[in-house]
Amino acid sequence: MNTAPTELEKAEFYRRIDPDNLYPLWEAVKEMMTVGPQTQATPHLWKFGEVRPHVVEAGHLVSGEDAERRTLMLENPSMRGARRITEALYTGLQCIMPGEIAEPHRHSPSAMRMVIESEGGYTSVDGEKCDMQPGDLILNPSWHWHGHGQEGDKPHISMTCLDVPLVRFLGPVFAESWTGNTVFPDGPPEDDCHARYGANMLPMDHAPKSPSSPIFRYPYAETKSALTRLAAAGTVDACHGVKMEYVNPETAGPVLPTLSAFMQLLPAGFRGETYRSTAAWVYHAVEGSGRTIVGDRILAWGPKDIFVVPAWFPHRHEADDESFLYSFSDKGVHQKLGLFRDQRGTEAEV
Ligand SMILES: [Fe+2]
């Protein structure tokens, strides 16, 4: 007569198969197939006023030759050492000191930068120079040469936004430094991409050269003007206020294959409804103040603060003043893979 195996017999079996690099699925399935998204990340807010002195101190600690790497990474408090702010997203604060040039290089991970403080800062993408003003979104797409300079007399500070954790997970990380005879590669005239692709037009018979947006700078003045006009017209979403996505004009999709970027206006006194999504979000308050309630945490933000909303966390925004929130996300990756889900209002309240 067959008898059910005892726990001792199972444990003995697991021990015997272990040297063959085998593990029983039935013991692991509950942690692998959860009823909903499980993130290791926790909500957190970095007060810019508290971290800015450290960022500027790094400007004195690390030499100008290493300016490109002079970044303090914002590590999620529950994922310290993993060099990321959520499972798939990386954020840092980079400082370029007056007169410095962060030398050109390129890498397969894609980067964006949200400019926080800049007077006289510029970037060069594939040799094309673009001004960098606070609130501008700057793209450094995969495998495009990029370097930066600061011609003003104050430190330049940008929030860098990368897909490094995702690309490292998949494997294809490549990087190289510029070794040409010129400071930057030769390229088109300054802001050529804006004239060519940023006027709701594309060159006749245009064929995209990469899956990334061909626009390297999305000026804040234009973004803010559009959002302000929409808010005045009453186009205010109950969860998001006036939230617009920066797009690749060739596809109308995310600006980069792996990173989506947004700017939203929250009117003064806005009290948003709850929202959650499978994608994670990293926010930066360009202007204004308020708070974002994430699960049981209240993240009170003011100008230049940065905060993270991990995947599937219910959250809602409240604004005291008219506020402009930049955010970036892995939403586009979830959408491409058919994995994106979101919920609004009472459905998102758990
Ligand atoms: Fe870079």
Side-chain angles (χ1 to χ4, degrees):
M1 188 173 80
N2 283 341
T3 54
T6 65
E7 289 305 312
L8 212 60
E9 286 170 325
K10 283 187 187 173
E12 192 277 330
F13 173 66
Y14 303 159
R15 231 183 353 262
R16 269 193 291 115
I17 64 173
D18 186 68
D20 291 325
N21 299 303
L22 298 171
Y23 195 84
L25 171 64
W26 60 89
E27 292 288 351
V29 71
K30 281 189 182 158
E31 74 189 53
M32 291 167 64
M33 296 294 178
T34 55
V35 292
Q38 300 287 315
T39 175
Q40 285 182 41
T42 48
H44 190 72
L45 178 138
W46 287 261
K47 295 298 285 181
F48 186 75
E50 292 172 9
V51 296
R52 187 186 185 282
H54 304 317
V55 174
V56 174
E57 189 177 344
H60 300 289
L61 201 67
V62 177
S63 75
E65 290 81 61
D66 285 330
E68 181 47 44
R69 288 178 281 277
R70 193 196 287 128
T71 293
L72 294 184
M73 296 182 286
L74 275 56
E75 290 194 321
N76 194 286
S78 58
M79 304 170 80
R80 294 304 309 274
R83 314 293 180 241
R84 64 192 69 188
I85 193 163
T86 70
E87 274 79 359
L89 303 175
Y90 161 109
T91 307
L93 286 168
Q94 183 180 23
C95 176
I96 305 172
M97 299 301 273
E100 281 184 353
I101 287 175
E103 291 180 355
H105 60 276
R106 61 181 178 178
H107 36 70
S108 51
S110 289
M112 302 188 289
R113 50 191 65 235
M114 171 50 50
V115 182
I116 299 180
E117 291 183 3
S118 186
E119 286 176 37
Y122 64 91
T123 192
S124 164
V125 184
D126 275 349
E128 180 178 330
K129 191 177 178 187
C130 295
D131 210 9
M132 289 201 283
Q133 297 287 335
D136 288 356
L137 178 72
I138 307 291
L139 301 191
N140 296 150
S142 173
W143 214 239
H144 286 51
W145 293 109
H146 57 281
H148 323 287
Q150 168 59 329
E151 291 169 337
D153 57 7
K154 296 189 182 117
H156 165 103
I157 300 176
S158 285
M159 170 187 178
T160 53
C161 316
L162 283 89
D163 58 9
V164 180
L166 179 65
V167 180
R168 283 184 64 189
F169 174 74
L170 296 172
V173 176
F174 296 92
E176 66 177 326
S177 299
W178 171 249
T179 55
N181 296 325
T182 52
V183 177
F184 294 109
D186 287 333
E190 188 164 340
D191 274 329
D192 181 88
C193 64
H194 204 70
R196 200 174 295 274
Y197 307 109
N200 297 315
M201 304 174 85
L202 290 173
M204 187 166 163
D205 299 327
H206 172 70
K209 292 185 192 133
S210 91
S212 304
S213 172
I215 299 175
F216 304 136
R217 178 187 178 216
Y218 293 76
Y220 182 52
E222 292 180 12
T223 309
K224 183 174 179 178
S225 168
L227 294 180
T228 304
R229 278 180 280 145
L230 287 169
T235 319
V236 179
D237 180 85
C239 293
H240 308 302
V242 183
K243 186 164 189 172
M244 300 284 280
E245 180 172 3
Y246 295 91
V247 294
N248 176 346
E250 293 168 340
T251 63
V255 286
L256 297 169
T258 47
L259 297 172
S260 308
F262 305 80
M263 186 74 80
Q264 71 197 97
L265 183 162
L266 304 178
F270 182 77
R271 297 290 180 267
E273 293 183 5
T274 305
Y275 177 77
R276 70 173 176 174
S277 75
T278 53
W281 301 85
V282 180
Y283 286 91
H284 159 69
V286 181
E287 296 184 62
S289 61
R291 67 208 63 77
T292 297
I293 297 89
V294 191
D296 57 3
R297 300 277 310 278
I298 299 173
L299 306 179
W301 41 263
K304 303 181 183 178
D305 292 347
I306 295 171
F307 61 96
V308 57
V309 177
W312 213 234
F313 268 75
H315 59 282
R316 59 191 169 85
H317 305 297
E318 297 183 353
D320 297 331
D321 317 309
E322 181 178 74
S323 302
F324 292 83
L325 289 181
Y326 160 75
S327 56
F328 81 101
S329 172
D330 45 9
K331 182 179 184 222
V333 178
H334 289 230
Q335 288 177 308
K336 284 187 189 77
L337 300 179
L339 298 171
F340 184 73
R341 290 195 201 187
D342 63 356
Q343 295 177 329
R344 298 168 55 97
T346 51
E347 191 189 20
E349 292 166 6
V350 288

